[in-house]
Amino acid sequence: MSMSTIFTLLAKGMMISVEIFFFTLLFSLPLGLLVSFGRMSKNFLVRSLVKIYIAVMRGTPLMLQLLVVYFGPFYLFGMKISSGYRFVAVIIAFSINYAAYFAEIYRSGIESISVGQYEAAKILGYNKVQTFFKIIFPQVVKRILPPVTNETITLVKDTSLASVIAMSEMFTIAKQISAKETTIMPLMLAGIFYFIFNYLVAFVMEYIEKKFRYFR
Amino acid sequence: MNLVKISHMKKRFGELEVLSDISLEVKKGEVVSIIGPSGSGKSTLLRCATLLEQMDGGSLSYKGEKVVWEENGKVITASHAETKRISRTFGLVFQNFNLFPHYTVLKNIMDAPVSVDKVPKKEARERAMTLLRQLGLEDKADAYPYQLSGGQQQRVSIARALALQPQVLFFDEPTSALDPELTGEVLKVIKELARQHMTMIIVTHEMKFAKEVSDRIIFMEGGVIVEEGSPDQLFTSQNLRVQEFIGKLES
Ligand SMILES: Nc1ncnc2c1ncn2[C@@H]1O[C@H](COP(=O)(O)OP(=O)(O)OP(=O)(O)O)[C@@H](O)[C@H]1O
Ligand SMILES: [Mg+2]
């Protein structure tokens, strides 16, 4: 295999890793907010179910969750797994897993806002939706940025877990080439890729954190 | 007509009866101060009157319109829409300001009029700037709350309440969270409002201020109104508890 073929293959894998990363964030961030509402619900049943969901998502390996989401339809319902489902399964598994982590981060942020903010909003006549999205949420975002940065950095590295269902992302491809060509070079390149990716993530998150420094 | 009418208001937290039987009527333009020892239920009274807390008995009305009342021993609250409409009558200034930290001073003041009352932005801005000018804070319009002193923050929170043009303003110890040297600037603003005949109900520990600004002073203890009258009447009260309390705070 020529160097340029190796690079082309790795670049393709890289694209898929990046896609997994972005789609996971795109779905898990809003989903996590929804889950956090369920977690804080006044309804006992809703709250308990969501609690169990979060416990399972955080308490079992993401690798196992990937396998369940990918093979589940076949083992449970005898459905035929189409090749296009692989990527969808990865996004589903990652999104519901990360949503659980983000939910707990949102919850800690929301619960840290003083009740006085809600009371002031109520007295001024804001409705519930306005109170949350205009008054509470911007303050929550500022507070949860550091833990969200942590999760995001973990996510970059976790994308490699998709190799367990043979998703042809960066890590899977690097592993394959490495085995075939008996060289560690592709794995090193993969390592460098994850490192640079995370460097960029940290850079962007720091920028966002700075943007939120206008208030205290 | 009474702007505010509270009849036989009761409130308990679990086993603890905080308000036993409070009746209070306030007319337009009146300034009423509420004094009393810690734990006597002053804040609870304001919180029930401003619907932050649900009362357990009695009735509450603004301008003759009932918001909360009792029917066959059950406490009824007016419909959501009615409550919302009637709530526009009053404003509340908190002890610890509760300004919105992510909004500038100007936005803190003009956002509720714009988003809640649908006042055009331009008009809301002018109204806010006028208030800021009156309170001597026009140069702080673009500052964020954390950049202000406590006294300035409390003045902004008063402006924020006034921007919605309430007919009666409640204050819960507006100067208690402030350093002593900053209380003066806030009390001055309230005095000015009194001069303009703003109807106000003020919980305070500042006896001298209460004496100067109030038409009527109420002394609360143990969830009931123990004594009520003009400042002169209160300050010359024969009631030992009142004498003791006032004496303690004045010295
Ligand atoms: N949410 C609550 N839950 C339980 N008890 C409460 C609650 N709010 C107030 N209380 C109790 O009710 C009593 C009256 O409290 P309140 O805050 O009305 O007193 P206050 O007269 O405003 O006192 P202070 O001068 O210290 O502000 C106190 O014993 C207090 O502990
Ligand atoms: Mg109080």
Side-chain angles (χ1 to χ4, degrees):
Chain A
M1 220 184 272
S2 72
M3 271 313 262
S4 75
T5 329
I6 291 179
F7 273 119
T8 317
L9 286 172
L10 284 177
K12 272 194 193 138
M14 193 164 97
M15 279 311 297
I16 294 187
S17 297
V18 172
E19 278 173 24
I20 297 173
F21 173 82
F22 277 111
F23 279 113
T24 301
L25 281 189
L26 183 70
F27 294 122
S28 63
L29 282 171
L31 185 62
L33 187 58
L34 214 64
V35 174
S36 79
F37 289 152
R39 177 71 181 75
M40 295 181 290
S41 167
K42 287 195 188 83
N43 183 311
F44 176 77
L45 190 69
V46 173
R47 196 172 61 234
S48 309
L49 287 176
V50 170
K51 243 175 160 166
I52 293 170
Y53 161 73
I54 293 175
V56 170
M57 286 298 138
R58 298 204 304 175
T60 60
L62 176 51
M63 202 183 261
L64 176 64
Q65 292 164 19
L66 275 160
L67 289 169
V68 168
V69 173
Y70 185 53
F71 293 113
F74 173 72
Y75 285 121
L76 292 174
F77 312 111
M79 284 158 67
K80 197 171 166 298
I81 299 171
S82 70
S83 63
Y85 179 60
R86 201 190 302 273
F87 185 73
V88 176
V90 170
I91 301 303
I92 292 175
F94 271 86
S95 297
I96 58 175
N97 176 279
Y98 272 80
Y101 286 93
F102 285 137
E104 288 298 85
I105 294 177
Y106 281 124
R107 182 170 70 96
S108 70
I110 292 170
E111 287 178 347
S112 75
I113 304 294
S114 82
V115 60
Q117 292 287 305
Y118 290 92
E119 291 183 343
K122 182 172 183 216
I123 290 284
L124 293 169
Y126 290 95
N127 64 33
K128 288 216 162 98
V129 176
Q130 287 174 325
T131 301
F132 186 76
F133 286 103
K134 292 180 72 95
I135 311 297
I136 306 300
F137 195 60
Q139 300 182 52
V140 169
V141 171
K142 181 186 170 79
R143 290 189 195 184
I144 66 174
L145 276 173
V148 165
T149 302
N150 277 339
E151 282 309 316
T152 312
I153 285 173
T154 306
L155 172 60
V156 168
K157 294 176 286 182
D158 275 359
T159 57
S160 63
L161 291 174
S163 74
V164 73
I165 56 169
M167 183 77 232
S168 50
E169 44 66 62
M170 185 71 176
F171 190 70
T172 310
I173 292 183
K175 219 168 46 181
Q176 284 167 354
I177 302 173
S178 184
K180 202 186 276 168
E181 307 284 315
T182 56
T183 161
I184 200 166
M185 188 266 292
L187 288 172
M188 301 304 276
L189 284 177
I192 292 170
F193 157 76
Y194 289 114
F195 186 82
I196 293 175
F197 195 170
N198 264 331
Y199 188 84
L200 290 175
V201 167
F203 182 81
V204 170
M205 293 308 286
E206 199 179 307
Y207 175 79
I208 299 175
E209 274 182 44
K210 271 209 191 100
K211 280 266 155 195
F212 272 85
R213 261 185 222 155
Y214 68 91
F215 71 91
R216 257 178 232 164
Chain B
M1 201 202 326
N2 289 314
L3 194 45
V4 188
K5 183 166 185 206
I6 296 170
S7 311
H8 308 292
M9 182 187 274
K10 291 177 192 64
K11 176 70 188 173
R12 49 168 62 248
F13 290 110
E15 289 294 287
L16 184 69
E17 186 173 68
V18 178
L19 300 178
S20 306
D21 184 357
I22 302 278
S23 294
L24 171 64
E25 291 169 17
V26 179
K27 290 195 173 49
K28 194 170 175 338
E30 248 191 314
V31 177
V32 176
S33 289
I34 301 175
I35 61 173
S38 183
S40 56
K42 308 180 296 294
S43 296
T44 306
L45 169 58
L46 288 204
R47 292 172 59 80
C48 287
T50 53
L51 306 170
L52 288 179
E53 232 35 277
Q54 165 98 50
M55 48 201 261
D56 301 326
S59 68
L60 168 69
S61 54
Y62 286 94
K63 297 202 295 180
E65 292 192 276
K66 284 210 152 85
V67 198
V68 184
W69 65 93
E70 243 178 296
E71 235 171 70
N72 307 322
K74 267 175 65 185
V75 179
I76 316 271
T77 306
S79 73
H80 185 73
E82 280 284 284
T83 305
K84 208 165 166 144
R85 185 176 57 76
I86 299 171
S87 296
R88 313 315 298 143
T89 318
F90 60 79
L92 169 65
V93 172
F94 297 86
Q95 181 172 350
N96 49 0
F97 337 132
N98 289 331
L99 289 175
F100 302 134
H102 58 306
Y103 283 174
T104 61
V105 164
L106 184 62
K107 184 139 191 207
N108 260 285
I109 299 170
M110 64 179 276
D111 192 69
V114 173
S115 336
V116 177
D117 284 353
K118 310 295 173 208
V119 176
K121 259 200 169 138
K122 190 162 165 286
E123 193 188 323
R125 180 186 306 270
E126 276 163 18
R127 214 194 273 174
M129 286 311 294
T130 308
L131 283 166
L132 283 175
R133 227 166 287 129
Q134 283 169 7
L135 300 184
L137 289 165
E138 68 261 55
D139 55 327
K140 298 292 182 195
D142 296 322
Y144 284 89
Y146 81 91
Q147 295 166 317
L148 306 181
S149 72
Q152 290 169 333
Q153 289 189 46
Q154 190 58 297
R155 283 186 283 156
V156 172
S157 93
I158 293 172
R160 181 176 72 170
L162 289 171
L164 288 166
Q165 304 178 323
Q167 299 183 42
V168 53
L169 204 47
F170 292 90
F171 294 80
D172 192 0
E173 302 194 30
T175 58
S176 291
L178 303 177
D179 292 337
E181 71 269 23
L182 297 178
T183 59
E185 59 188 71
V186 171
L187 297 181
K188 204 177 109 200
V189 166
I190 301 174
K191 278 184 209 159
E192 177 56 29
L193 288 174
R195 213 184 50 81
Q196 295 167 13
H197 306 293
M198 179 79 203
T199 314
M200 294 186 281
I201 299 172
I202 310 166
V203 171
T204 184
H205 285 300
E206 304 275 346
M207 288 305 136
K208 190 166 152 288
F209 163 75
K211 198 172 178 176
E212 270 178 56
V213 80
S214 318
D215 297 307
R216 188 148 49 107
I217 299 182
I218 286 170
F219 177 81
M220 264 180 84
E221 182 157 36
V224 295
I225 294 177
V226 174
E227 183 119 349
E228 174 172 5
S230 69
D232 284 340
Q233 284 170 331
L234 253 278
F235 278 75
T236 55
S237 168
Q238 296 306 303
N239 185 310
L240 282 177
R241 279 300 295 144
V242 180
Q243 281 179 7
E244 193 188 346
F245 182 77
I246 291 177
K248 212 187 295 175
L249 283 190
E250 262 189 329
S251 57

